[in-house]
Amino acid sequence: MLSLPELDEQILQPGVKGLPIVEPLRQHMIGAQHWNVLAADTSLPVAVLKASALQHNLAWMRAFCERHSVLLAPHGKTTMSPHLFAAQIENGAWGITLATIPQVQVAARFGVRRVILANELVAPADTRAVLHLMREDANFEFFALVDSLQGVERLSREVQAFGLDRPLPLLVELGMKGKRAGCRDPEEVMAVARAVAAAPGLQLAGIEGYEGLVVTDNRAADVVVVNGFLQRMGEMLKAAAAEGLFGAEQVIISAGGSAYFDRVAREFAGLAVQGKKVLPILRSGCYVTNDHGYYGGLTSELARREGKAAGEGLRPALEIWTTVLSRPEPNLAILAMGKRDASHDLGLPMAIAAHRPGEGPLQLPKGAVIDKMNDQHAYLRWPDGVKADLQVGDLVGCGISHPCTTFDKWPVMLLVDDTYNVIQAINTFF
């Protein structure tokens, strides 16, 4: 269990995005305010998380991992929310994956005790910060990535200078030509693995990679590339084990973004190396909320690959609700929502519902799409001649594409039930 009282007891001040408060309010009292988003009780825009969809996704991923005999360390950078970290761990997550040392420090502060840093650890101050966490808490397990001999040398020097009484576990990263970090070929992987095994203060803990960068318009070809990449990772794990390079009884092989984690599970489950227990670890983070756009499409394809076992698949849990500010033209509504409120890097938000407070649901104009956003405004347009009942003050609910770059815009999100009654606050730390 994570320690969340610090959040529940904090006092929220007027000015928090989405909250209609005019005087300080202790956070745990939010549910007692009886706000309803569709009644326009909140400030607008407001980011909401649908409780039923969250619970469905948490249970779906737990069942997926159990079915495939793999572990899950979801990428916490998606949400940076201790509340959601706690929910993921309570639903079977082995640990949490993070991208930066400040993110690691936030997770540790709230009680996360097993972290994969899915990034190379290079900056001296960051290295010292994580070594401090390891020294202060003997139960804090931490794994970082390395992909170069220079990186191995730097980390060994830092660990020795710090005087840590246990080794720093490292995963060697296999990358892809032209893509992000990571060794470019098996020979380089083995050279780095041997260097880690021989370096004072370090311990070779496993092999890591990220297949999620392979997303083109030819998904069938993508899957072939992904399968080959994952197979090479398994071969590298076996080769390192055969040389006796791993320093612990358990070894990690880890991959799995939010697009192909089914392929990762099938490739890694049952992988065995002589004399070691293999921990196959997925790192998908977007599953917890999914979305109405980019990841919704990818996970729908994944569910089709899984067949009947996938059941319904993942549900979109994150929405932005806003209001119509202006109707300046017959086929245009200006919404109180912009780039400061919703992701736009993998597609613009999508209008999915409309509601008139005090009256009920509305039909969105046929063909209505958000085709442009400014910092604080969105342009909802529909074809000329289409009947539109939207008025100033009506509410529009929007689905998003790419949850990672929506969460970072909201220090507080509101958990709601299926009728949009506000249950509680969810904090983020970006």
Side-chain angles (χ1 to χ4, degrees):
M1 295 290 291
L2 299 195
S3 179
L4 302 178
E6 172 186 337
L7 299 178
D8 298 333
E9 293 299 323
Q10 70 179 326
I11 296 177
L12 301 172
Q13 299 290 341
V16 177
K17 283 178 66 173
L19 300 190
I21 57 177
V22 295
E23 58 186 24
L25 178 69
R26 202 170 294 277
Q27 181 166 298
H28 73 80
M29 293 299 295
I30 280 180
Q33 306 309 303
H34 303 296
W35 295 330
N36 183 278
V37 173
L38 301 184
D41 289 337
T42 67
S43 178
L44 296 165
V46 63
V48 303
L49 295 167
K50 299 186 78 172
S52 61
L54 281 177
Q55 289 303 318
H56 169 85
N57 293 346
L58 290 163
W60 188 97
M61 183 59 94
R62 181 170 193 161
F64 176 93
C65 291
E66 290 174 350
R67 186 165 68 248
H68 289 283
S69 299
V70 294
L71 302 173
L72 176 67
H75 216 317
K77 72 174 177 59
T78 300
T79 69
M80 277 311 297
S81 171
H83 290 99
L84 296 179
F85 294 171
Q88 289 170 310
I89 291 170
E90 288 166 8
N91 280 271
W94 173 88
I96 298 292
T97 298
L98 295 159
T100 70
I101 294 305
Q103 291 177 1
V104 173
Q105 290 173 311
V106 168
R109 168 181 155 194
F110 289 100
V112 174
R113 288 296 172 265
R114 187 182 284 134
V115 169
I116 294 176
L117 181 74
N119 219 339
E120 280 64 29
L121 181 59
V122 173
D126 287 340
T127 303
R128 291 192 295 272
V130 80
L131 294 177
H132 175 81
L133 288 174
M134 293 176 69
R135 182 176 65 189
E136 294 300 304
D137 185 352
N139 294 317
F140 181 71
E141 297 181 51
F142 175 82
F143 305 84
L145 308 188
V146 65
D147 69 353
S148 67
L149 299 180
Q150 294 92 337
V152 173
E153 181 182 354
R154 290 172 65 94
L155 287 172
S156 179
R157 187 168 59 246
E158 289 285 351
V159 173
Q160 291 179 82
F162 190 85
L164 189 67
D165 62 359
R166 55 175 165 142
L168 175 65
L170 297 176
L171 311 175
V172 179
E173 181 170 26
L174 175 64
M176 301 179 184
K177 186 177 180 180
K179 301 294 184 181
R180 247 165 27 193
C183 300
R184 289 327 199 220
D185 55 55
E187 292 75 18
E188 190 178 0
V189 168
M190 293 305 297
V192 174
R194 293 181 189 115
V196 173
L202 306 182
Q203 182 182 80
L204 183 64
I207 303 294
E208 182 274 349
Y210 177 55
E211 80 299 335
L213 296 172
V214 184
V215 181
T216 71
D217 292 334
N218 188 342
R219 201 76 77 242
D222 290 348
V223 171
V224 172
V225 174
V226 166
N227 288 344
F229 178 74
L230 299 172
Q231 288 167 8
R232 287 193 295 278
M233 287 183 62
E235 292 166 1
M236 293 299 92
L237 190 80
K238 292 177 181 178
E243 290 192 23
L245 301 180
F246 293 115
E249 294 305 310
Q250 298 185 143
V251 298
I252 290 172
I253 185 164
S254 178
S258 296
Y260 303 111
F261 59 83
D262 61 319
R263 302 310 312 151
V264 177
R266 291 182 183 279
E267 189 64 38
F268 290 173
L271 188 64
V273 298
Q274 187 173 1
K276 302 289 183 181
K277 179 180 179 181
V278 177
L279 303 183
I281 300 173
L282 308 184
R283 301 196 309 274
S284 174
C286 294
Y287 82 91
V288 72
T289 62
N290 207 23
D291 67 23
H292 287 84
Y294 181 77
Y295 284 106
L298 290 174
T299 56
S300 292
E301 293 176 10
L302 185 152
R304 287 195 291 273
R305 292 195 297 267
E306 281 288 284
K308 290 183 180 180
E312 176 190 343
L314 296 167
R315 299 177 187 170
L318 173 57
E319 299 172 3
I320 309 294
W321 278 81
T322 186
T323 189
V324 177
L325 291 178
S326 176
R327 282 293 318 278
E329 299 170 15
N331 65 334
L332 174 64
I334 301 298
L335 308 181
M337 176 190 70
K339 295 178 181 178
R340 301 297 178 91
D341 310 304
S343 55
H344 51 91
D345 56 320
L346 292 176
L348 293 175
M350 295 137 280
I352 57 173
H355 193 92
R356 183 163 295 156
E359 296 187 24
L362 299 174
Q363 285 289 109
L364 284 164
K366 188 175 181 180
V369 296
I370 294 172
D371 66 358
K372 180 180 177 181
M373 286 202 301
N374 302 139
D375 282 358
Q376 312 284 181
H377 299 87
Y379 297 66
L380 181 66
R381 299 183 192 272
W382 50 91
D384 291 336
V386 170
K387 181 180 178 181
D389 191 28
L390 283 181
Q391 301 176 5
V392 171
D394 288 341
L395 305 184
V396 176
C398 299
I400 56 92
S401 185
H402 198 189
C404 297
T405 51
T406 296
F407 269 94
D408 65 3
K409 296 167 173 55
W410 294 89
V412 173
M413 292 183 169
L414 297 180
L415 188 69
V416 298
D417 66 17
D418 286 346
T419 57
Y420 292 88
N421 293 310
V422 175
I423 301 170
Q424 70 174 81
I426 299 293
N427 302 102
T428 70
F429 289 81
F430 286 96

